[in-house]
Each structure stands twice: as structure tokens, then as C-alpha cells.
Amino acid sequence: LGPLLEQLELALEQVTTELNSVTDNPLVDVHASAGSHVLHGGNFQGQAITTAMDSARAALASMGKLVFAQFSELINKDSNKGLPANLACD
């Protein structure tokens, strides 16, 4: 799970960096004298967010696949070394 957790941490770091970036994201000045004032360069494409979320999705899917495989081995009476099939004591 270590590489998958590192992948999730990297995705979080990328999203945090992108959200705190002022080069692409609109800036809202709530302290402007005539209400809110929005400044932007019109460059926002969201590619950094998309890439990070795709990476996070792949990591979560791999974790789910691993958990499913391990759980399947536990409840399979041929591979669970004598445990009851429903994992409940009789």
C-alpha cells in the first residue's frame, strides 16, 4: 500500500499547489470598496487538477482491488485455512 499512499499524497500536494496558485486561478478580492472584485488571466484549464484526480482514482481503484482479493481469499473455504466461510464462529 505504500506506493499507493504516496500517490495519494502527491495528488493532494498537486491539488493544494494548484488551488493556491495565482497564475491560473481567479483571485477574488472581497475587501474591494465596491463589492467583490475578480481578477483573472483567463488561463485556467484545470489540467493539473484532472491529472491529480486521475492519479488518485487509479490509486483508490488499486486499493479496492487489493482489499477485494484479500477478502475473497479469507471467505473462500479452499484458501482460508479452515476458517468458516462467513468468518463467523459457529
Side-chain angles (χ1 to χ4, degrees):
L1 290 176
L4 298 175
L5 293 175
E6 289 176 1
Q7 194 171 357
L8 289 174
E9 287 175 357
L10 178 60
L12 176 62
E13 182 182 326
Q14 290 171 333
V15 169
T16 302
T17 299
E18 182 63 23
L19 290 176
N20 289 323
S21 172
V22 296
T23 56
D24 293 342
N25 299 327
L27 298 175
V28 179
D29 182 5
V30 295
H31 299 296
S33 59
S36 297
H37 186 67
V38 179
L39 303 169
H40 62 86
N43 298 334
F44 183 72
Q45 296 178 356
Q47 186 171 359
I49 299 291
T50 303
T51 303
M53 290 297 95
D54 191 45
S55 177
R57 179 208 49 82
L60 292 172
S62 293
M63 287 178 178
K65 186 177 178 181
L66 177 63
V67 169
F68 177 77
Q70 290 175 340
F71 187 72
S72 294
E73 287 182 12
L74 281 175
I75 62 172
N76 181 352
K77 63 181 177 65
D78 296 326
S79 65
N80 68 7
K81 298 184 180 183
L83 290 172
N86 63 0
L87 298 179
C89 296
D90 291 333

